Every structure is written in structure tokens, then in C-alpha cells.
Amino acid sequence: MDKINFRFLLIFSAILRVFLILYGEWQDAHMEVRYTDVDYLVFSDAADLMASGKSPYKRSTYRYSPLIAALLMPNSFLHHLWGKFLFSASDLLVGLLIHSILKLRGVPEKLCTFSTMPGKKPALVDWSSRKSKSVQGSSYMRINGLQGIRILLASIFTWRRLVFGIVSGSIFFILTGLCFYFYGWDFLDEALLYHLTRTDPRHNFSMYFYHIYLHFEQEFSSLEKLISFLPQFIVQLVLVFRFAYDLPFCFFVQTVAFVAFNKVITAQYFVWFFCLLPLILPWSNMNLKWKGLACIFLWMGAQSHWLMWAYLLEFRGKNVFIQLWMASLLFLASNTYVLINIIRNHAYCPVFNLLKHETSNKTTKYD
């Protein structure tokens, strides 16, 4: 019965994604606020260029791996629907990985299914089914999916962790080498190096956006760049030293902190940590009825408050930059408060604590 419940969850999630994809087509054609934004056109145009034998980097503002454009090449003759279905399917695959990881860590089947459900929450389903969000957001989700694979494989045997590290590292360097072979420095500059110095003057959730907007025409000093990275770096360092052995939890809190303190934050960034949330729920002592719901409503309220000012700026042309910046500060505060509560209510559970080492043909057991 439990297995059927999880299977039903996957089937329902798949049907819901198909519905949202079709609904998104209608909204894009009939409503002022589109279901997606212009980013998807960038991906699709890059895929069209690659299909015609040209470099995807001939499309301005395409600053991603050519592998993403290659995956979207069928968009050219499938009315640009391929990308949405492809990345919605990858979202379901992440759900399967999460379920497998939880079972591997000894979580009961019912709790596995219950913990997987937040990964199918409406906001995440919505982002993974959007045109641009499915491509941009879920491409990042695949990175977290690889983290999930790493946890899954690393939790089995110590020597397999080493083998997996060698194999995954080799694949990374091989693919990077191939991309450089075909697209040269355009690939390195746009897909990798650009993100180290990126300054985005458009409004976004980050507390830094208004300063960048006001000084975008000027050259930022090295001190300014350092100051913007310093809080993010310090928080990451503290979290690594504190939670390194509780690997899934460390991934989650690091990702939340990285997004919260980043120079650029858009809605699809939230997918990065939402897909990791089910991996920590079985070890949370937070009371869902009171403190849990309070954290959820606080986070959603701060986000909705920001979206209100963003709508007035973007669609109504109101001069609300100060209000929007203050909303960004409030959103940072809400992220920080929620993260602190998650940490305080987490039962620390190291993944790689060695319980027993058996010799000869017996396996090594882990907590």
C-alpha cells in the first residue's frame, strides 16, 4: 500500500505538470503577466543556433553550458514544448532519488513518502513546468540532483565514494574540455568566468540589487566586490565546519544561505534548496502545526510583499525602488530567521559515522 501511495504521488505530480504546461501556453497568449519570462527565448534561440551548426553564444545573454542548448534542440520542431516536458521529467527523477536516499538511510516507507511530498509542492511544480523556469531553474535542479546521486552512492561503501569522485570528476573535465574544443574562449567567458564577476542591474530579491542599479555604469572597486562576497563566504565556511558530516543537511543549509546572501536572486533559485528539503525532514523536530506553519507563512509573506512592489515597478512603472529594496532586506531577514529555526530544530545525524567495520567479504556499515 505504501509503495502504491508513492507511485500515486509520482503519477499525480506528472499529470499536474502536464496541466500546468498546457495552462502556461494559454496564459502566455491571453494574459498581461506571462507564465514565463524572456529567458526561455534565450535558451530556445541558442538551441536553434546549435541546430543550424552555429555557436549558441551568438545569442546575446546566453551564458550557460552548450549542453543545455543541445538538450533543447528538439524545441525547433516541437513548438518549444520539449524543454518544459524534459525538465518536468527531470524534476520527477529528483523525487525518485530523494525517495531512494531516504530509504537507504533507514527512514520508514510512510515517512519517505510524506517527506517527498514537499518536493512536489505547488510552487516547485509551477517553476519546473514553466517555459524558462523549467529550463533555467531545473537545469540548476539537475545539479542538486547530482548532489542527491552523490549522497546515494556515497552512503553505500567508502571505496565507492572514492570511485564516484574520480568518475564524476573525470566526466566534468571531459565535458568541459569538449565544450572548450568546440566553442573556445566564448564558452569559458560566458558559461563560467562571467558568473564570477556578474553584476545584474535589474531588480531581484537580493539586498545588493539597488546599489548595483545605482552604480552600474561605474566600475566597482575590489573592496566593494569583496564586501559583497564576504558575508556569503563566512556563512558558508561556518556551516561547512559545523555540519560537514551530516551531508544532506549541510547541502541544504549551505544552499539556503548561498541563495539568501547572493548578489543576484531570482525565483528559480529557490528550486535549488526546495529539492533538498525532503532529505532533512525526517530529522526535524520542528512542530509543523505552529512553528513550522509560522516559518512557511513568514517566508511566503515576505516573498509576496516583495512581489507586490516588483509588480508596481515592472508593470505599472511606479518609482518604488526604495520600497522594493526594503522588501529585499525584509526577505533576507525572513530567510535568516527560517534558517536559524531549521538549524535549531534539526537532529544532527552524521551520514558517515562508522559503526562497524567487518573484514573479509562483509560490508562496512554506516549510520
Side-chain angles (χ1 to χ4, degrees), residues 10-268:
L10 287 178
I11 294 173
F12 175 78
S13 299
I15 294 173
L16 182 58
R17 281 160 175 76
V18 172
F19 169 78
L20 286 174
I21 288 171
L22 298 177
Y23 167 77
E25 291 293 299
W26 178 88
Q27 179 172 324
D28 288 343
H30 296 90
M31 298 182 67
E32 177 188 14
V33 180
R34 292 173 58 85
Y35 189 69
T36 184
D37 54 35
V38 72
D39 286 345
Y40 187 75
L41 298 177
V42 176
F43 283 94
S44 296
D45 292 346
D48 291 341
L49 286 169
M50 182 174 283
S52 62
K54 300 177 181 178
S55 170
Y57 298 107
K58 289 186 177 295
R59 175 52 162 100
S60 61
T61 72
Y62 183 76
R63 299 186 175 96
Y64 307 93
S65 169
L67 299 177
I68 298 177
L71 288 172
L72 293 183
M73 286 171 63
N75 264 2
S76 302
F77 53 87
L78 289 177
H79 190 55
H80 298 282
L81 290 174
W82 168 258
K84 293 183 287 183
F85 284 108
L86 175 65
F87 290 105
S88 291
S90 72
D91 183 29
L92 296 176
L93 177 60
V94 170
L96 285 171
L97 285 171
I98 290 170
H99 188 263
S100 299
I101 293 168
L102 292 177
K103 291 193 68 175
L104 187 63
R105 299 196 69 190
V107 178
E109 182 64 33
K110 287 186 178 181
L111 187 54
C112 284
T113 302
F114 175 79
S115 299
T116 307
M117 290 178 68
K120 307 303 177 190
K121 64 187 298 183
L124 184 54
V125 172
D126 176 55
W127 289 326
S128 68
S129 64
R130 289 176 182 265
K131 284 184 176 179
S132 68
K133 303 312 181 196
S134 87
V135 177
Q136 188 175 3
S138 293
S139 65
Y140 291 126
M141 183 185 291
R142 290 201 310 281
I143 297 174
N144 282 311
L146 290 176
Q147 289 181 338
I149 296 174
R150 181 167 60 186
I151 301 172
L152 178 63
L153 296 180
S155 299
I156 300 175
F157 301 111
T158 303
W159 68 270
R160 291 188 178 180
R161 289 159 52 191
L162 178 61
V163 171
F164 180 76
I166 294 174
V167 172
S168 60
S170 300
I171 292 174
F172 170 78
F173 285 111
I174 290 172
L175 292 177
T176 301
L178 286 173
C179 292
F180 180 77
Y181 174 79
F182 285 108
Y183 302 109
W185 286 101
D186 284 343
F187 158 68
L188 289 180
D189 288 336
E190 299 291 349
L192 299 177
L193 300 179
Y194 165 79
H195 297 280
L196 296 177
T197 57
R198 177 183 181 183
T199 53
D200 194 336
R202 295 172 297 179
H203 61 278
N204 62 80
F205 287 95
S206 174
M207 64 176 176
Y208 298 108
F209 96 88
Y210 191 48
H211 177 77
I212 294 175
Y213 171 78
L214 293 176
H215 301 86
F216 186 68
E217 299 298 329
Q218 306 172 11
E219 181 68 24
F220 288 96
S221 66
S222 299
L223 180 60
E224 288 178 305
K225 294 178 181 179
L226 177 63
I227 290 175
S228 64
F229 276 113
L230 198 56
Q232 189 180 47
F233 176 76
I234 292 175
V235 173
Q236 292 292 308
L237 200 61
V238 170
L239 293 174
V240 167
F241 278 103
R242 179 61 181 86
F243 300 112
Y245 288 99
D246 192 344
L247 201 56
F249 187 70
C250 189
F251 281 157
F252 176 81
V253 294
Q254 273 193 283
T255 307
V256 173
F258 178 87
V259 172
F261 289 90
N262 204 33
K263 289 195 299 182
V264 178
I265 307 172
T266 56
Q268 57 263 36

